[in-house]
Amino acid sequence: MNTFLNNFPILAIMILFVGAFVTSLVGRRSALARNGVVLVSMTAALAMMLALVKPVLLDGQIITYWLGNWEPVEGWAFGICLEVDALSLFFGLIVTVAVFVSGVYSFTYMNHDDSLVNYYTLFLMLSGSVLGLVLSGDLFNIFVMVEIMTFTAVALTAFRNTYEGALEGALKYLVVGSLGSTSLLVGIAMLYSQLHTLNLAQISALIPGQGANPVIIAAFAFLFMGFATKAFLFPFQPLAADAHAVAPASISLMISGVLTKCGVYGIIRLCYVLYENLNQPLVQYLVTGFGAVSMFICVTMAFNQHNFKRLLAFHSISQVGYVITAVGLGSALGVSAGLYHAMNHTIFKGLLFLTAGAVQHQTGSLDLDSLGGLSKRMPRTTLLFLIGAASISGLPPFNGFASKWMIYQAAFQRGAATGNFFFLFVCIVALITSVLTLASFIKVAQSVFFGQLPEQYKEVKEVPLAMRIPMWILAVLCIVTGLFPTQVQNYLLLPATSAAFNAANYIDQAMGLGYAAAHGIATGGVAGLMVSDCWNPTSWLMLLFCITCAVAIVALLASPNDLKDAHISSCDEQAEVLDAKYESFFSGEESVYSQVGGSDLFWGFKHNWRKYFSYMHDWHSGIVNDYTLYGVVAIAFVLLACIILL
Amino acid sequence: MNVLLSSLFHVLIFPGLLFCVVMGVLLSGLDRIWVARMQRRVGPPLLQSWYDFLKCCGKETIVPRHAKKAVYFAAPVVGFAALISISLFLPIAGGKPAYSGTADLVVILYLLTLVSVCTIVGASASGSPFAGVGLSREMVAMISYELPFVLVILAVSRAILAPGDSLNNIFSLQAIADYQAANGPLITRWALIPAAIAMLFVIPCEVGMHPFDVAEAETEICEGTLAEYSGPPLAVFRLTHMVKMFIMTALFCVLFLGGITTGIAVLDVILFVLFCLILTFLTMSLPHGACARFKVEQVFKFYWTVVAGLAALSLILVWLGL
Amino acid sequence: MFEKLIDNSMAKSPWIFHINAGSCNGCDIELVSVLTPRYDAERLGFRLTGTPRQADIVVVSGPITLQTRDRLVRTLAQVPEPRVVVSLGSCPRSGNVFKGSYAIDGPLEKYTHVDVSVGGCTPKPEAIIAALAKATEILKEKRKEMHK
């Protein structure tokens, strides 16, 4: 093992934290120095993660780093360790890319705000803590990172504290987020009391020897719910909506693209490596069930939103629901589908949040009922939004399609293999959720970007290039990961999935060879893990291109004159006197401003579901006490279910 | 070279562009004649839809002031191309599909969605309030038929799985065609008959035929999604509508009527066309002649209760191994 | 290459948009009756469309009241070329019994070139069909002029 590369995980984390402190030192003097420090630390972290790709993802090594060189003694891990296997690195890559994009975006996006030093300090601390979480090999370290993450995220949510609801959203996040952290802490304490260690690898090795120890099982329930809170799974989804709606767009990207991924990472690590219990039906039902419920409830809630970012927030949870559903299936295909979707979700949801931020930055509004027709003024943002919307709705050939397709296949396979109606039902819910997702992005497209431009937005300008570049990075990633699913599978998903299924290797690398075998952990079945074939978007795209060309040629042959003297007539945009010919047909009336959009759009659907919607409306009361109660009830439910049935 | 030529042949002639357009014109022409006959009229000539298409090509295109020009022109073409590309996934008349991916059924499901999305986005980009109402209805109609459609797809995919089969090939149309070639058409399995009926209902709504053409109601919302379209883009939308009739009926044939073969390729294709004609009459002309247009909330209710119920019944039966 | 085909189709698929400019509903009903099984104008490819953007033939009935005048002009402007305007019944061409009323501002010629005019209060369906058939020929001629 290359000793130099060995230091990269800790360096990547430290450089972000050090960057945070340096920012607060130099940032007050010069904005340039501040931005420089932020950029350097983000880039360095990203570069280090990329440098680890070859040994970890391609060669399948596991990098272990013991802080202060406190290696395990006689099979007991005392020191704190960082352990980077393919799974950790996969999430590490997601995190650093998202951090990089979000940081670059902030440079221009945040220029209306003041006290930016605080913003960047908190931002880098948030980034460092998240990276620390996914690379850590120590359970208590994970808790510490979760705490830093939660508190910085809360502070950043309330950063624009002049916004209506900013403090309220942050407070809700704080209170219910603490519930999740507490749940994690209780789980960790229980594990420590039983196993006397905090090292992930060692815990993983010791748990099977405990048999049906109820304390260990209760710890599972607490840890699961702790991570579920961090991923904002049902019933914690109202928090995300409140927080996202008021947070700056770059922070929304972090919350939805990065923080929720920590929850996902935690659940995968917990269920696959720590407990290795996803072969038990109850755990499958539990995880998949939580995922499916979040997926469905959040997508229907998104129907009712009037605020662009609140809508995106609900979709964010809905997509995380997809991820958790796939992960809970317990099959290799499921895990790789889940990981794929997790990655894609960061990319397309990040893109969508950034376009929302662009709209907010240029118009000052996020209200779906008052915006409209921005495609005329912000054509590039519109294109970016359409790419993001097509990806999240799973339209081919974008990345959302490839991953959702794997999820359906995984769910159906699981159902067909077990003959279980539950998985079939999950598959149906996933398919329907997809079309509902599409519907609500149609709503956004119609009410923000298309239709008629309101009078007060006549002078709106396109966002500056500095904000479009980060968006383009994500948009290109959307297309690339969608066009080459086979490569993504081979180079990213397969190593990460094998790592999830190979707990023994994880243990051995940390605790010394043979430790896993000594504790009866079988070497993971990496063989036969090959995921089924992918569809081939590139050749489909060529077909599409051929047909489009054919249509175009026929059209050219058909009307050579039409092209010359153009039977296409469009109006002069600058004309003072409006020509009636180019006005919208209004049954002959004078065309007035009329925009069909916002909340009225899917009346036919909402009418039939009015009872459900009014129930959900009451349920999302906005009262923090209620949300805490839901959280406590959910934790109690999972605890009881686990203890009684496991 | 040969590969290139054969794929060009597939894309442009059979079963691609030319065949689809011919079939679309034929089916929609016959549909209009049948509806006319049901109303005791003579009806238009067989090629009427073709004349409509050509005429629209020759008209002026007025781009409205509120329209986003690029999207306004791109949407119909992309939608049409996506629709034609579906035909390449279909194993028409017992043959091999021209282009086989894996899990073609999911791809087809989403390509059909893409076609509707192109209509919707085009309508949205035209900036008309009537189109706004139209696209909202189109989307609700889409949500309506998507549930039964999904259930039918799942039922069929499950029905062809024998115990011990590899699960890597699910959702594959080729596998469905092969199964039917070996075991006879799936419609003869009684457990799948409700699914077939549900699929018959899905066809007209997916195509947007009367009485389910809520999105293009010309009397109430001025052609809805197409309110601001004129000239060649409108012509392409019209053509998309016609070809969709063929694609949907062909999909039904592939799913439920596969494996009926005479052994001669040409006869097989004629038989296939015949099935498409019968299906067009059953699913589109008959309801058109018999019913008045539904309201959009009625469409939703009907599809999520009755039609989805039928499809779910089939799915449960199949899942239980019947 | 396809110009000739398109020109011929222009005569075979005329879509009608109907504007009621204050008509008493008599002519409107007769126009609809043209599409009924008895007369079946769909034989000739006629179809009523809901938006002027898709129309080839604009049929105007009624004496052009002050209330409908601006709406009529606006709607006529929105019909793409080539288009044919047909005036239906006596009202649009002369004002009929409403002539001289303070509330009407006819005839239709004041606002647009009328290609075909059908007289009668109300015209017989046969006459309307004959007028529409005439209009399709004019439509074809106009199309030919467009690409000359």
Side-chain angles (χ1 to χ4, degrees):
Chain A
M1 167 55 72
N2 188 332
T3 45
F4 180 61
L5 279 180
N6 242 345
N7 297 319
F8 272 16
I10 185 72
L11 280 177
I13 300 166
M14 285 318 294
I15 201 158
L16 289 169
F17 278 116
V18 170
F21 291 112
V22 176
T23 307
S24 57
L25 285 180
V26 302
R28 277 180 220 289
R29 288 164 207 273
S30 138
L32 193 67
R34 179 194 69 208
N35 289 359
V37 170
V38 175
L39 188 64
V40 165
S41 38
M42 288 182 323
T43 318
L46 178 61
M48 286 180 200
M49 285 297 115
L50 287 175
L52 290 179
V53 166
K54 176 149 193 322
V56 176
L57 279 180
L58 302 185
D59 301 347
Q61 296 174 2
I62 292 181
I63 292 182
T64 324
Y65 179 89
W66 295 93
L67 269 81
N69 226 359
W70 284 31
E71 298 203 0
V73 183
E74 293 170 4
W76 285 93
F78 296 105
I80 296 172
C81 110
L82 294 182
E83 187 163 9
V84 186
D85 63 350
L87 185 65
S88 294
L89 187 66
F90 181 80
F91 280 95
L93 277 173
I94 293 181
V95 168
T96 42
V97 169
V99 165
F100 181 77
V101 170
S102 166
V104 172
Y105 185 83
S106 306
F107 292 147
T108 322
Y109 173 71
M110 296 301 290
N111 58 10
H112 295 339
D113 298 75
D114 50 12
S115 61
L116 285 179
V117 177
N118 302 352
Y119 172 81
Y120 286 113
T121 307
L122 287 167
F123 175 78
L124 284 181
M125 282 178 73
L126 176 61
S127 316
S129 64
V130 173
L131 194 59
L133 194 159
V134 294
L135 299 185
S136 173
D138 183 284
L139 200 50
F140 193 74
N141 232 17
I142 286 182
F143 171 73
V144 172
M145 292 302 177
V146 161
E147 285 290 87
I148 299 176
M149 180 179 100
T150 310
F151 284 103
T152 48
V154 166
L156 283 169
T157 300
F159 184 73
R160 287 179 170 168
N161 52 15
T162 48
Y163 278 26
E164 188 190 351
L167 291 174
E168 188 191 337
L171 180 75
K172 283 179 200 164
Y173 189 5
L174 182 67
V175 172
V176 187
S178 314
L179 191 65
S181 305
T182 315
S183 168
L184 266 184
L185 186 61
V186 172
I188 293 169
M190 283 174 156
L191 274 187
Y192 191 60
S193 72
Q194 298 299 306
L195 305 174
H196 315 295
T197 179
L198 288 167
N199 186 287
L200 283 179
Q202 198 179 359
I203 293 174
S204 163
L206 294 180
I207 280 177
Q210 294 288 319
N213 183 342
V215 181
I216 298 277
I217 290 167
F220 172 77
F222 279 117
L223 287 173
F224 175 75
M225 285 316 286
F227 286 123
T229 321
K230 297 304 160 195
F232 297 114
L233 287 185
F234 175 84
F236 298 106
Q237 83 278 22
L239 304 180
D242 288 336
H244 279 295
V246 291
S250 46
I251 297 309
S252 296
L253 185 158
M254 293 289 285
I255 296 178
S256 98
V258 173
L259 263 66
T260 54
K261 295 302 162 320
C262 291
V264 172
Y265 167 78
I267 288 174
I268 296 179
R269 191 54 97 196
L270 180 71
C271 296
Y272 283 93
V273 178
L274 230 52
Y275 277 76
E276 291 190 83
N277 58 0
L278 258 184
N279 46 2
Q280 299 181 25
L282 178 80
V283 183
Q284 285 175 4
Y285 293 154
L286 188 73
V287 180
T288 312
F290 264 98
V293 170
S294 317
M295 175 160 85
F296 188 73
I297 287 186
C298 292
V299 83
T300 52
M301 281 310 294
F303 261 84
N304 280 0
Q305 303 309 317
H306 305 242
N307 181 305
F308 195 169
K309 273 167 72 191
R310 261 184 91 88
L311 182 142
L312 289 181
F314 276 115
H315 277 295
S316 183
I317 313 310
S318 173
Q319 301 302 314
V320 172
Y322 268 104
V323 177
I324 298 292
T325 305
V327 164
L329 293 172
S331 64
L333 184 60
V335 177
S336 27
L339 291 174
Y340 197 0
H341 203 68
M343 178 177 86
N344 292 345
H345 172 238
T346 304
I347 297 170
F348 56 61
K349 190 46 67 64
L351 177 58
L352 289 166
F353 269 121
L354 295 192
T355 51
V359 169
Q360 189 185 21
H361 190 257
Q362 299 306 102
T363 64
S365 171
L366 283 171
D367 184 9
L368 293 179
D369 294 327
S370 72
L371 288 164
L374 288 180
S375 63
K376 291 281 221 189
R377 294 282 170 272
M378 306 170 74
R380 297 187 177 88
T381 313
T382 309
L383 177 63
L384 289 161
F385 169 80
L386 286 179
I387 292 176
S391 302
I392 194 174
S393 322
L395 293 182
F398 295 101
N399 58 3
F401 176 70
S403 52
K404 278 186 185 176
W405 178 82
M406 278 169 74
I407 292 174
Y408 305 144
Q409 208 161 7
F412 188 82
Q413 272 191 7
R414 195 89 196 104
T418 55
N420 195 321
F421 275 106
F422 178 77
F423 295 113
L424 176 68
F425 187 67
V426 163
C427 188
I428 296 168
V429 170
L431 278 155
I432 286 304
T433 303
S434 177
V435 71
L436 294 178
T437 308
L438 173 69
S440 58
F441 279 92
I442 294 285
K443 167 172 139 178
V444 177
Q446 161 71 10
S447 47
V448 176
F449 292 102
F450 296 123
Q452 301 187 357
L453 190 68
E455 204 57 46
Q456 72 261 39
Y457 298 127
K458 282 273 189 283
E459 301 305 320
V460 168
K461 297 261 181 331
E462 180 62 89
V463 286
L465 185 68
M467 274 167 80
R468 289 207 306 272
I469 287 174
M471 291 198 259
W472 271 115
I473 295 176
L474 292 175
V476 168
L477 281 175
C478 268
I479 296 168
V480 170
T481 50
L483 284 186
F484 304 104
T486 324
Q487 283 78 356
V488 171
Q489 254 188 16
N490 289 343
Y491 297 124
L492 290 174
L493 303 180
L494 219 51
T497 313
S498 323
F501 278 91
N502 199 350
N505 196 19
Y506 186 80
I507 297 166
D508 280 354
Q509 291 299 324
M511 304 304 297
L513 286 181
Y515 192 87
H519 289 82
I521 309 270
T523 310
V526 191
L529 204 67
M530 186 48 215
V531 178
S532 67
D533 296 343
C534 268
W535 87 299
N536 192 342
T538 36
S539 45
W540 175 76
L541 210 65
M542 273 158 64
L543 290 178
L544 195 71
F545 181 72
C546 280
I547 297 165
T548 317
C549 282
V551 173
I553 290 167
V554 172
L556 283 180
L557 287 175
S559 48
N561 293 332
D562 283 3
L563 283 183
K564 258 188 302 180
D565 51 53
H567 287 177
I568 296 165
S569 36
S570 51
C571 67
D572 177 12
E573 294 271 340
Q574 264 68 47
E576 286 294 313
V577 183
L578 299 178
D579 185 350
K581 183 174 178 182
Y582 302 109
E583 291 302 308
S584 296
F585 174 58
F586 233 99
S587 304
E589 294 298 322
E590 200 168 348
S591 179
V592 288
Y593 174 72
S594 161
Q595 166 74 332
V596 181
S599 41
D600 301 333
L601 208 50
F602 299 119
W603 182 83
F605 172 75
K606 275 156 73 174
H607 175 75
N608 278 302
W609 284 50
R610 56 195 181 280
K611 287 193 180 131
Y612 169 80
F613 278 126
S614 89
Y615 175 74
M616 289 316 281
H617 181 266
D618 295 343
W619 200 84
H620 290 76
S621 58
I623 302 168
V624 67
N625 310 23
D626 283 358
Y627 294 164
T628 316
L629 179 68
Y630 303 149
V632 172
V633 169
I635 293 174
F637 167 75
V638 173
L639 190 62
L640 277 178
C642 285
I643 289 184
I644 294 170
L645 297 172
L646 272 181
Chain B
M1 195 60 205
N2 264 338
V3 178
L4 188 69
L5 275 183
S6 86
S7 53
L8 266 184
F9 173 78
H10 285 316
V11 168
L12 296 179
I13 301 181
F14 183 88
L17 199 55
L18 189 67
F19 183 65
C20 282
V21 170
V22 169
M23 283 304 292
V25 170
L26 181 70
L27 292 184
S28 76
L30 279 173
D31 168 61
R32 285 175 76 168
I33 291 175
W34 285 330
V35 172
R37 294 295 153 83
M38 271 188 264
Q39 297 170 345
R40 295 222 169 169
R41 290 188 288 123
V42 178
L46 182 62
L47 292 182
Q48 184 59 47
S49 310
W50 181 240
Y51 298 143
D52 288 352
F53 168 74
L54 283 177
K55 180 215 56 184
C56 287
C57 286
K59 294 276 285 186
E60 179 193 24
T61 305
I62 301 176
V63 184
R65 194 164 66 86
H66 295 294
K68 176 75 191 139
K69 206 169 165 185
V71 184
Y72 178 87
F73 283 109
V77 178
V78 174
F80 181 67
L83 184 63
I84 296 291
S85 75
I86 296 176
S87 72
L88 303 171
F89 289 91
L90 296 175
I92 286 173
K96 294 248 178 268
Y99 168 73
S100 179
T102 30
D104 325 343
L105 266 176
V106 180
V107 178
I108 287 177
L109 178 73
Y110 275 86
L111 285 179
L112 282 169
T113 313
L114 183 60
V115 177
S116 305
V117 167
C118 283
T119 317
I120 289 171
V121 170
S124 184
S126 71
S128 158
F130 288 118
V133 179
L135 77 90
S136 136
R137 291 182 178 194
E138 170 87 31
M139 193 65 232
V140 174
M142 201 160 123
I143 299 172
S144 314
Y145 65 69
E146 201 85 346
L147 177 65
F149 196 12
V150 160
L151 293 173
V152 168
I153 285 177
L154 291 179
V156 171
S157 307
R158 179 66 184 83
I160 62 157
L161 286 179
D165 269 5
S166 149
L167 287 172
N168 281 337
N169 217 11
I170 46 180
F171 297 135
S172 157
L173 273 180
Q174 184 61 55
I176 292 170
D178 291 346
Y179 178 88
Q180 296 187 77
N183 302 318
L186 277 175
I187 198 157
T188 53
R189 276 210 19 205
W190 64 269
L192 277 176
I193 289 175
I197 297 171
M199 189 64 193
L200 286 180
F201 277 111
V202 168
I203 293 172
C205 195
E206 170 84 56
V207 179
M209 289 301 276
H210 200 92
F212 303 108
D213 60 342
V214 281
E216 281 154 32
E218 71 273 5
T219 37
E220 333 154 33
I221 50 169
C222 307
E223 308 277 345
T225 46
L226 301 179
E228 289 293 334
Y229 268 97
S230 52
L234 175 67
V236 177
F237 269 136
R238 287 273 151 202
L239 198 60
T240 308
H241 178 82
M242 293 177 228
V243 174
K244 225 178 190 186
M245 292 171 77
F246 165 63
I247 295 285
M248 286 309 292
T249 45
L251 184 61
F252 184 91
C253 292
V254 170
L255 287 181
F256 291 105
L257 298 172
I260 302 175
T261 173
T262 54
I264 308 162
V266 179
L267 278 184
D268 275 353
V269 173
I270 293 172
L271 198 66
F272 187 82
V273 170
L274 213 62
F275 281 138
C276 288
L277 292 182
I278 295 170
L279 284 170
T280 307
F281 178 74
L282 273 181
T283 62
M284 291 178 241
S285 310
L286 209 57
H288 186 167
C291 297
R293 183 182 300 121
F294 285 118
K295 290 194 277 184
V296 64
E297 69 270 27
Q298 290 170 331
V299 170
F300 182 81
K301 206 170 188 174
F302 176 67
Y303 275 87
W304 275 52
T305 51
V306 178
V307 183
L310 281 171
L313 176 67
S314 232
L315 183 57
I316 291 169
L317 289 175
V318 165
W319 212 257
L320 295 174
L322 292 169
Chain C
M1 185 169 117
F2 296 130
E3 290 295 339
K4 226 178 149 63
L5 272 176
I6 292 179
D7 290 350
N8 289 334
S9 316
M10 197 57 84
K12 285 178 183 158
S13 146
W15 291 357
I16 305 170
F17 184 70
H18 174 217
I19 302 175
N20 177 337
S23 158
C24 68
N25 218 19
C27 296
D28 310 344
I29 285 179
E30 290 306 312
L31 181 67
V32 176
S33 79
V34 161
L35 295 166
T36 54
R38 190 173 184 91
Y39 299 101
D40 190 24
E42 208 193 354
R43 278 176 300 159
L44 309 174
F46 289 105
R47 179 177 170 271
L48 268 182
T49 169
T51 158
R53 300 283 190 206
Q54 303 179 4
D56 307 296
I57 299 178
V58 187
V59 178
V60 183
S61 59
I64 329 290
T65 59
L66 287 176
Q67 289 289 331
T68 58
R69 184 186 55 199
D70 295 347
R71 287 145 179 98
L72 170 76
V73 172
R74 240 177 256 127
T75 311
L76 280 174
Q78 288 170 348
V79 182
E81 295 290 339
R83 63 161 184 254
V84 170
V85 180
V86 175
S87 88
L88 182 64
S90 300
C91 295
R93 60 169 164 185
S94 67
N96 206 359
V97 295
F98 307 105
K99 192 175 167 79
S101 160
Y102 62 90
I104 71 164
D105 194 8
L108 181 59
E109 271 96 350
K110 267 167 75 177
Y111 309 105
T112 176
H113 172 74
V114 178
D115 297 278
V116 184
S117 180
V118 204
C121 181
T122 65
K124 292 180 72 167
E126 288 90 340
I128 299 177
I129 292 177
L132 291 177
K134 179 82 186 156
T136 58
E137 281 163 28
I138 298 173
L139 199 62
K140 191 173 163 186
E141 290 309 312
K142 284 194 172 181
R143 162 71 196 168
K144 275 184 182 161
E145 269 163 39
M146 259 174 87
H147 61 79
K148 254 184 195 135

